Amino acid sequence: MRPLLCCLGLAVLLGPCLACPSACSCSTKKNGRLLAECAYKDLQEVPEGLSSNVTILTLSANRIGWLRQGSFSEVPEVQSLWLGYNQIGVVEPGAFAVLVHLKNLDLSHNKIADFPWQDLRNLSGLQILKMNNNRLAGLPRDAFRSLKDLRSLWLNDNELTTLAEGTFNNLPSLSQLQIFNNPFNCSCKVFWLKKWTENTSVSVTKGGSTLCVAPSRLKGRAVTDIPDHHCVAPSVQLTYLSNLDNTVMYDGLTLTLHCSVAGSPPPEIRWKIQTSSRHVEINGPNVARDGNVKQSQERFLVFKNGTMAIPNFSKEDEGIYTCLAVNDVGTRDVSVNVALAGSENPAEDLLRDDPQASHLGGQSCYKGDEMDPSGAGEKLVIVYHMPRESKSRAGGAVPQVHLGTLLLALGIALCC
């Protein structure tokens, strides 16, 4: 009787540890890990009744189509989860968030088009992630940024047409990447991938399988063979010209800046203006062919050819004017810090204050591959001269403002 009671007592103690749904086979591995084998059981959902200390859960080759938020709440200790060859099409946010000990996750050969990428933030110990043979058409740039231990990433045989630059950054442990058999559109948006594969130590499947589907001129060509001349990072040049010497202005100064850009594809021109009272961003021309101007931006006139004009430039318009050149390869910018000052003898006064200042009929800043670390650019000081006879006039007369010269005082000389 006593041996029987001992056996019953032992069964009571071990029962909770070996809890196992009828469709599964549960056992303890030699290393002490608890395995729940539930593959090939024609299951339509994650079974209930699993032991809380299961560390390996195999659910491959079933008919599971939906992973709910609480699907794995019973098995928070799982380290390896195999879900390949199911029919998973819906993954609710939070479905994997509880699995903070997960190291291996296989979701291959399913129907996943939309995935709760935020769940991966909790899986910092993940080492292997298989999402191949699904229907993924896009990835957030920061989808994998928290996976510092990720060694192997499988994304092949999906519907990816492009990848955001930096997708594989911040993955210090990554050693294997599979991205072949995706219908890549080899515009310059994926040109970074070519450069990345040339410089990375990560093992990437040979380019013969990572082919371009579009554009037509590159169809069938490896992503890693995109010609360099098709994609050239922008360069930008900001020019400000002085044709105002000995000029009498009745309507005030119109400051004109011209932004010249180059690159492939042709860059778009954008402007940023930062004054003491406002911050303005203008993404493209705001002056139509008929001369009409968008009311919200009428203070700064931007033309299609890259020219900006600021009529009746005043002290309120002082600040930093930045021209940006943007294309699929990258962004470059150049800035000028514009200030307005008055003097009876502007050239002598400015040169006395700044011996390095020079008298210019025109000047330009150029920015190519090097970025401006300060963002301040050069300082353009417009010095105007008010003749004495204009000062002594009585009311009613329109004052004549003589623009003596346009001078460039080098504040932070970072442009050529």
Side-chain angles (χ1 to χ4, degrees):
M1 179 65 71
R2 182 172 294 178
L4 180 59
L5 290 175
C6 291
C7 292
L8 290 174
L10 185 61
V12 170
L13 291 173
L14 295 179
C17 298
L18 298 177
C20 193
S22 58
C24 303
S25 174
C26 300
S27 61
T28 302
K29 307 286 283 185
K30 290 183 179 180
N31 56 12
R33 295 181 181 179
L34 185 59
L35 167 65
E37 175 63 66
C38 310
Y40 297 94
K41 300 298 183 180
D42 209 28
L43 297 173
Q44 297 186 32
E45 59 183 13
V46 178
E48 296 181 356
L50 288 164
S51 176
S52 61
N53 58 354
V54 166
T55 53
I56 304 172
L57 177 56
T58 302
L59 290 163
S60 305
N62 282 291
R63 293 194 297 123
I64 299 172
W66 192 307
L67 295 179
R68 305 182 187 278
Q69 183 176 358
S71 291
F72 303 105
S73 59
E74 289 186 339
V75 287
E77 302 296 322
V78 163
Q79 297 180 20
S80 297
L81 178 58
W82 311 110
L83 287 159
Y85 293 93
N86 275 281
Q87 300 176 19
I88 300 169
V90 177
V91 183
E92 291 185 357
F96 295 105
V98 69
L99 303 179
V100 296
H101 302 288
L102 202 59
K103 294 182 178 180
N104 306 302
L105 176 58
D106 181 8
L107 287 165
S108 63
H109 296 272
N110 279 288
K111 301 177 180 179
I112 301 172
D114 190 18
F115 186 80
W117 301 104
Q118 65 272 20
D119 277 18
L120 297 184
R121 297 173 187 170
N122 288 356
L123 311 185
S124 58
L126 199 63
Q127 298 179 9
I128 298 175
L129 177 58
K130 294 185 176 182
M131 302 192 75
N132 53 293
N133 294 86
N134 275 285
R135 299 176 181 177
L136 297 172
L139 301 172
R141 182 180 181 275
D142 60 350
F144 310 114
R145 68 178 180 181
S146 63
L147 306 182
K148 304 301 182 183
D149 293 335
L150 190 66
R151 294 187 287 104
S152 182
L153 177 59
W154 297 45
L155 295 168
N156 54 285
D157 293 276
N158 274 285
E159 299 177 8
L160 299 171
T161 59
T162 189
L163 290 169
E165 185 172 359
T167 297
F168 307 121
N169 288 355
N170 303 314
L171 296 175
S173 302
L174 190 64
S175 60
Q176 181 186 30
L177 175 65
Q178 308 277 24
I179 55 172
F180 58 88
N181 290 346
N182 278 288
F184 284 112
N185 181 343
C186 293
S187 70
C188 292
K189 289 183 179 180
V190 298
F191 186 67
W192 72 270
L193 185 59
K194 171 186 175 176
K195 296 298 183 182
W196 183 81
T197 56
E198 291 173 350
N199 297 300
T200 187
S201 60
V202 176
S203 174
V204 184
T205 302
K206 296 300 181 181
S209 298
T210 310
L211 305 179
C212 305
V213 172
S216 57
R217 69 179 185 276
L218 296 176
K219 186 175 182 179
R221 195 164 184 169
V223 172
T224 52
D225 290 337
I226 300 174
D228 288 357
H229 68 272
H230 281 246
C231 303
V232 180
S235 61
V236 56
Q237 185 175 8
L238 183 59
T239 307
Y240 30 94
L241 297 174
S242 170
N243 297 314
L244 303 175
D245 292 345
N246 303 317
T247 299
V248 177
M249 302 291 286
Y250 289 93
D251 297 326
L253 167 68
T254 297
L255 176 64
T256 302
L257 304 173
H258 182 72
C259 190
S260 301
V261 299
S264 180
E268 297 178 1
I269 296 176
R270 302 174 185 175
W271 290 90
K272 291 184 178 180
I273 302 106
Q274 180 67 63
T275 69
S276 59
S277 60
R278 71 169 95 183
H279 179 78
V280 179
E281 295 188 9
I282 305 175
N283 297 324
N286 60 13
V287 179
R289 291 184 178 181
D290 59 7
N292 290 329
V293 184
K294 295 178 181 178
Q295 294 298 317
S296 62
Q297 299 172 346
E298 61 182 2
R299 183 74 193 95
F300 307 99
L301 307 180
V302 177
F303 300 85
K304 189 175 182 180
N305 68 350
T307 296
M308 173 189 284
I310 304 100
N312 298 311
F313 191 88
S314 67
K315 295 287 287 184
E316 293 182 356
D317 300 314
E318 291 182 334
I320 298 174
Y321 289 74
T322 302
C323 172
L324 300 95
V326 181
N327 70 6
D328 289 341
V329 186
T331 300
R332 296 291 183 271
D333 65 73
V334 65
S335 301
V336 62
N337 190 343
V338 183
L340 190 64
S343 171
E344 290 187 5
N345 196 340
E348 291 183 4
D349 287 351
L350 187 59
L351 289 170
R352 181 167 57 249
D353 294 338
D354 187 349
Q356 293 183 343
S358 56
H359 183 281
L360 302 174
Q363 185 58 278
S364 64
C365 283
Y366 173 82
K367 194 65 58 71
D369 292 334
E370 296 297 325
M371 297 299 288
D372 185 345
S374 72
E378 294 184 350
K379 188 172 185 180
L380 174 66
V381 180
I382 302 170
V383 184
Y384 62 90
H385 176 50
M386 182 74 75
R388 292 182 179 179
E389 60 271 20
S390 298
K391 293 181 182 180
S392 60
R393 290 184 180 181
V398 178
Q400 297 179 356
V401 179
H402 291 263
L403 293 171
T405 185
L406 186 65
L407 295 169
L408 181 68
L410 294 180
I412 302 176
L414 294 170
C415 304
C416 321

